[in-house]
Amino acid sequence: MTPTALKPGDQFHFMESGLTFTTDANMSGAAQVSFRGQTVTVTDALLEAARDRLGTSWLDLMHDMQAQKARWGREMFRPGAAPESLTRWTPGTPEEDAARDEHLKVAYAIQDGAKRAVALQRVHATFGRKTTSTQIATYIGDR
């Protein structure tokens, strides 16, 4: 493991949700749980908090996707800001279903019928069909 080349002001983003990290070297309650698409700006405190007693850091894996997969079972983060196309949810997961439901709720709340229709089309273009509805449609269609 090579020491991290990150310095204060650099950015990285999370590819997956669920990595707990702290931005406070004193561990005084500043822990966060990452979410997919989150961009983090590196600070001195983050770099210090990420180091263990042996001087190694989980940030040392920034440029080593294989080591990330070995440690967490998947790629967790990449250098740079999150691309705009990176959603907060992973396609095909319950998080995607929850995001779809939330967007549908907002769209259905629009009073103007034409604006509601446009918003609903946008939701369907972004998310497609819900996994369960695709499975049901396939099942019914096979009969």
Side-chain angles (χ1 to χ4, degrees):
M1 196 179 320
T2 59
T4 181
L6 293 175
K7 59 188 179 310
D10 288 347
Q11 292 185 319
F12 67 93
H13 64 279
F14 286 100
M15 298 297 295
E16 297 288 340
S17 298
L19 181 71
T20 302
F21 67 102
T22 185
T23 57
D24 182 359
N26 297 323
M27 306 289 188
S28 62
Q32 297 182 35
V33 178
S34 69
F35 60 86
R36 179 180 155 93
Q38 177 183 11
T39 297
V40 176
T41 301
V42 176
T43 63
D44 285 324
L46 172 66
L47 291 172
E48 188 178 338
R51 296 244 168 256
D52 65 17
R53 63 185 174 79
L54 301 175
T56 59
S57 170
W58 57 273
L59 291 170
D60 294 341
L61 305 180
M62 183 63 62
H63 300 284
D64 191 343
M65 303 321 152
Q66 292 304 319
Q68 288 183 39
K69 288 178 184 177
R71 181 168 179 176
W72 293 292
R74 58 194 187 274
E75 179 184 6
M76 293 300 290
F77 45 84
R78 290 184 182 169
E84 286 186 31
S85 61
L86 185 65
T87 60
R88 283 191 69 166
W89 61 87
T90 303
T93 64
E95 289 81 13
E96 180 185 37
D97 291 341
R100 178 188 300 102
D101 291 346
E102 186 59 34
H103 283 79
L104 283 171
K105 180 180 169 184
V106 170
Y108 279 122
I110 297 172
Q111 296 297 314
D112 181 282
K115 290 180 181 176
R116 182 183 328 108
V118 169
L120 289 169
Q121 286 175 340
R122 225 178 293 133
V123 171
H124 291 295
T126 300
F127 295 98
R129 297 181 109 180
K130 205 170 191 174
T131 305
T132 54
S133 63
T134 301
Q135 293 168 343
I136 292 170
T138 301
Y139 176 75
I140 293 171
D142 287 343
R143 290 187 162 212

